[in-house]
Amino acid sequence: MRAARAAAPPAARRAAAIAEGPRMRLAPPPPDIVIAPRHEHEPLLRALALSLSALERQSALVIALSADPLEGAIDLPPGAPNAMDRAQLQAAAPLYFAAELEAAGLLPTAEQIAGLFASGAIVQPLGPGAQLINTFWRARRERLDASERQAIFARVIETPYFERLMAGLCEAIVAQADGGDLRERVALETACGALGEFLALRMDPMATLAARDIVANINLALGFLRDRMLQAAFAVNSLWQLVAVAGTQQGLSASGVQRRVDQGRAGQTVLLWLAEHYADAAPRIAADDYELIGAAQRWLSGRDAAPAPAAAPALSAAA
């Protein structure tokens, strides 16, 4: 047998060796890569979670400062930023976010829907969302009403002064995208000081309590406004469409509503950065801080592209 193999041509010997040797086995395929689907309202919910977290930090910081016997013991020049200013500014960012959601009509929509539900005007089945609406309706006398919310927003985020100062800060932040020279760093410091002082003078304890109340109620309202069964009851298929048809006062399309929300998200990011760096003598921004620089640019773009209001139909349940 061996002699026969030796006498065989080389090609035949190789074929015989392959046939007699162990068979080749393919390696098992790599495990599947599972990419979690992105939630439809992920940016909105993330911004809301950021608001709630900022208000919790603000509350903890105020308690810590109140218990510090040295806080306020040193006389600072008038207008000089202090730790309490930073604490107050922590609440200014969520309040601005809430103001933009109010302008978009989110809480007014929730209140109108809750009223329709309580009156029996909504006859379609709503599933678990019905309990959330009922809870929201029963707590109506415990929260700030629309006129009270507007009064707080108008006092703290006073237009056109806030808009002008906010635009100056956002422009100074965007200018840091290329590193920034001395002149641009001075402009950033000046813009931080101007807007920080403006808000610190207006964020009194009442405004802080209002921010907590409004953001908490936004959280409750989103619990049922995002429900598909509720949206179907009003013949719409998205949260923004539901808010857009809430009444003639807002007069925004679904895309216009979402632009106001995006404006609030971007502004909140900028204002939270301001709260952290308001007291810095020479605040700096890394050129690769894309989140902050992008938020500042989006705020400026949203301000320039704000659409003119258009009439919208009153909210009514589908037949």
Side-chain angles (χ1 to χ4, degrees):
M1 185 70 176
R2 291 180 179 176
R5 285 184 180 177
R13 289 201 301 270
R14 286 196 298 271
I18 293 174
E20 293 179 2
R23 293 185 177 181
M24 296 179 63
R25 295 181 180 275
L26 296 176
D32 294 335
I33 299 176
V34 179
I35 301 177
R38 182 175 179 179
H39 194 280
E40 179 183 3
H41 303 298
E42 179 186 353
L44 172 63
L45 298 178
R46 188 187 301 116
L48 180 59
L50 193 61
S51 290
L52 294 169
S53 176
L55 290 170
E56 288 180 3
R57 292 197 307 272
Q58 189 272 344
S59 179
L61 185 56
V62 168
I63 293 174
L65 292 174
S66 301
D68 187 357
L70 296 179
E71 177 61 26
I74 301 175
D75 292 332
L76 296 175
N82 53 43
M84 189 59 74
D85 290 337
R86 177 185 172 189
Q88 297 297 79
L89 289 178
Q90 286 281 350
L95 187 67
Y96 173 76
F97 177 60
E100 287 294 339
L101 292 185
E102 183 79 16
L106 195 141
L107 270 184
T109 298
E111 291 168 341
Q112 191 172 353
I113 287 175
L116 291 172
F117 176 81
S119 68
I122 303 177
V123 297
Q124 292 84 348
L126 298 180
Q131 183 59 45
L132 296 176
I133 299 174
N134 183 55
T135 301
F136 187 82
W137 170 254
R138 295 181 64 179
R140 65 191 182 281
R141 303 190 188 281
E142 301 174 8
R143 59 175 172 264
L144 298 174
D145 60 27
S147 61
E148 291 170 330
R149 296 194 300 267
Q150 289 293 348
I152 292 291
F153 296 145
R155 180 166 59 84
V156 177
I157 309 168
E158 185 180 359
T159 55
Y161 309 109
F162 171 83
E163 297 282 332
R164 183 166 60 245
L165 294 172
M166 183 70 169
L169 176 59
C170 288
E171 289 168 355
I173 290 173
V174 172
Q176 301 295 309
D178 297 328
D181 55 18
L182 178 60
R183 181 179 59 183
E184 291 169 340
R185 288 196 292 271
V186 171
L188 177 62
E189 181 180 356
T190 303
C192 283
L195 182 56
E197 183 178 357
F198 176 87
L199 291 173
L201 292 173
R202 288 162 172 76
M203 282 303 301
D204 53 25
M206 180 59 208
T208 301
L209 291 173
R212 294 175 189 163
D213 176 85
I214 297 169
V215 171
N217 281 290
I218 288 173
N219 191 27
L220 293 175
L222 284 174
F224 60 85
L225 290 178
R226 295 183 293 117
D227 188 82
R228 290 295 189 185
M229 296 181 71
L230 177 65
Q231 294 167 11
F234 290 92
V236 297
N237 55 18
S238 76
L239 166 64
W240 310 126
Q241 290 178 355
L242 181 62
V243 174
V245 299
T248 57
Q249 293 182 354
Q250 286 73 42
L252 293 174
S253 63
S255 60
V257 169
Q258 190 163 4
R259 274 194 294 270
R260 295 305 298 256
V261 176
D262 292 341
Q263 188 83 344
R265 289 175 44 233
Q268 177 176 243
T269 299
V270 172
L271 292 176
L272 285 175
W273 177 87
L274 174 65
E276 293 293 332
H277 299 279
Y278 168 52
D280 294 355
R284 287 178 174 268
I285 299 173
D288 59 352
D289 192 347
Y290 303 120
E291 181 179 4
L292 175 62
I293 296 173
Q297 183 59 61
R298 286 193 300 273
W299 190 91
L300 290 170
S301 300
R303 173 174 174 258
D304 296 337
L315 187 65
S316 59

